[in-house]
Amino acid sequence: MNKALKIAIFSALIIYGLGITFLYYSNEKYEQEVAFYDVNKNGIIDNDEVNQNSKAIVDKGSKRKTTQQGAVILIPFSLFLGGITFAVMFLLGKIKTINDNEIIKSKSKRV
């Protein structure tokens, strides 16, 4: 397997893993905030529990992605960044090969 491909796969897996970890802990923090403002402990902030601070939490909750949604969304994102990593590593390998060939040619001209 090509070195550039190995690095690209490894970087895509790292990006995916870090994204899932961030989503998990972000959702845990959000659930703790909801639990703090949830007076009757039913898991949601009802109309009678809404105040200025909890309204911000409710607004933030409507825009949030769950861990399952984030897992699906992160797949193309990590593959895209893995593809960019592959392209960069492939081109850097080509540059190294060209430079090595030029050094060999310049040494053969001196002799």
Side-chain angles (χ1 to χ4, degrees):
M1 192 180 263
N2 193 356
K3 183 179 178 181
L5 187 59
K6 288 180 186 178
I7 292 172
I9 291 171
F10 186 68
S11 66
L13 290 175
I14 287 176
I15 291 167
Y16 186 76
L18 289 175
I20 292 295
T21 304
F22 173 77
L23 279 172
Y24 175 77
Y25 286 111
S26 174
N27 284 337
E28 288 293 320
K29 183 178 181 234
Y30 176 73
E31 289 173 5
Q32 289 174 357
E33 290 174 345
V34 168
F36 179 75
Y37 290 110
D38 187 20
V39 176
N40 58 5
K41 304 296 182 204
N42 64 352
I44 58 172
I45 299 175
D46 298 327
N47 288 336
D48 58 338
E49 299 169 336
V50 173
N51 60 26
Q52 188 68 14
N53 294 332
S54 65
K55 185 172 180 354
I57 301 294
V58 171
D59 291 340
K60 186 170 49 168
S62 65
K63 299 174 189 173
R64 295 184 61 78
K65 301 283 187 232
T66 64
T67 306
Q68 291 82 12
Q69 290 171 331
V72 173
I73 292 171
L74 277 171
I75 291 171
F77 179 72
S78 63
L79 290 176
F80 176 73
L81 290 179
I84 290 174
T85 304
F86 174 76
V88 168
M89 293 304 298
F90 181 75
L91 292 175
L92 287 175
K94 289 294 182 186
I95 290 171
K96 183 180 181 313
T97 304
I98 291 170
N99 285 341
D100 290 345
N101 289 341
E102 289 297 320
I103 290 171
I104 293 171
K105 286 181 183 178
S106 66
K107 284 182 180 179
S108 65
K109 288 181 183 177
R110 285 187 218 162
V111 175

